[in-house]
Amino acid sequence: MGMSGFWAVGALADEDVAELAPRAVPAIEATAARALAVGAWKRWERDVAHGDGAVPVWRPDGYNTEEALHLYGLVNDSAFDAMDSTWELHVMEWWDRFDDSVDPYITSVRKGNPVAALFHGLGPVRAAALPGWAGDAVFTSAEVRRLLPAVEGVLALTGAERDRVVARIDDWLCDEEPEELLDGPLRVWRDTAKAGAGLLASRIWF
């Protein structure tokens, strides 16, 4: 059986954030600041500039293009996945701490990465405006309230732009629910802000 890429976005009490953040936030920031990550993001921007706002996903023979594989590799570099694989931090134990007042968003893609599909749909400009790195983030309740407008600016799309982003996500996923990758995380951010809670977003292989 192949592994699946899981992505979870849920609310955490501020006291849990205070316990998790000193370990997770530096790891997320270090992952984003790596020279390989910075260079890979610039290449994604160049690849997108040659296309119609997104990289080509499929070759004529049905395999992924080099550009799509590059984006996949870029977004697949997860601090939580690295910490989980080396037994430094077991992220699913933190999923068990999600605040019951907010229904978390948890999705999986067999042999795939849901955040890569989301980034493909959004493109590098919008993806760069999402707080955190490649689907990983830990924020206090105050930070959630402060950052919510930026998240809404990225995910709360309407009209032709939403249709275009959803179509690109669908092209990447093929057999999932593309709208949920926009609507699910956005709902959690909004509900978490209303609940006055902190937030954990994390992606791992399982």
Side-chain angles (χ1 to χ4, degrees):
M1 293 179 63
M3 298 181 72
S4 294
F6 281 77
W7 187 35
V9 186
L12 282 182
D14 270 334
E15 53 265 33
D16 288 328
V17 172
E19 181 182 345
L20 176 62
R23 301 171 65 187
V25 172
I28 295 169
E29 292 176 346
T31 301
R34 289 174 55 198
L36 284 175
V38 173
W41 192 284
K42 290 180 179 178
R43 177 181 165 177
W44 180 31
E45 292 175 327
R46 291 195 300 270
D47 288 344
V48 166
H50 295 307
D52 185 24
V55 299
V57 179
W58 304 105
R59 301 186 329 206
D61 60 6
Y63 289 93
N64 287 121
T65 64
E66 181 182 349
E67 296 90 341
L69 290 173
H70 173 79
L71 172 57
Y72 181 89
L74 163 66
V75 178
N76 210 43
D77 194 7
S78 163
F80 281 107
D81 197 47
M83 288 188 290
D84 194 86
S85 63
T86 57
W87 298 78
E88 296 176 55
L89 183 151
H90 297 295
V91 70
M92 285 189 173
E93 294 179 3
W94 289 92
W95 295 3
D96 290 337
R97 298 200 199 185
F98 280 151
D99 191 320
D100 291 338
S101 67
V102 175
D103 186 26
Y105 172 72
I106 302 176
T107 189
S108 66
V109 178
R110 193 174 74 87
K111 297 183 179 180
N113 182 333
V115 181
L118 175 64
F119 274 32
H120 171 65
L122 294 173
V125 174
R126 285 193 177 276
L130 281 176
W133 167 254
D136 292 340
V138 179
F139 296 117
T140 65
S141 58
E143 290 171 325
V144 169
R145 290 191 297 271
R146 176 174 59 83
L147 293 168
L148 178 59
V151 174
E152 290 179 324
V154 174
L155 299 179
L157 304 176
T158 59
E161 186 165 16
R162 176 183 169 89
D163 292 342
R164 183 165 53 250
V165 169
V166 169
R168 288 172 177 164
I169 294 173
D170 191 40
D171 186 38
W172 187 285
L173 293 177
C174 298
D175 59 354
E176 305 292 333
E177 296 293 334
E179 298 89 351
E180 276 299 299
L181 272 175
L182 291 174
D183 300 339
L186 177 60
R187 172 189 56 76
V188 174
W189 271 87
R190 286 171 167 169
D191 291 350
T192 299
K194 290 179 183 177
L199 182 137
L200 165 63
S202 51
R203 191 208 54 77
I204 63 167
W205 283 99
F206 185 75

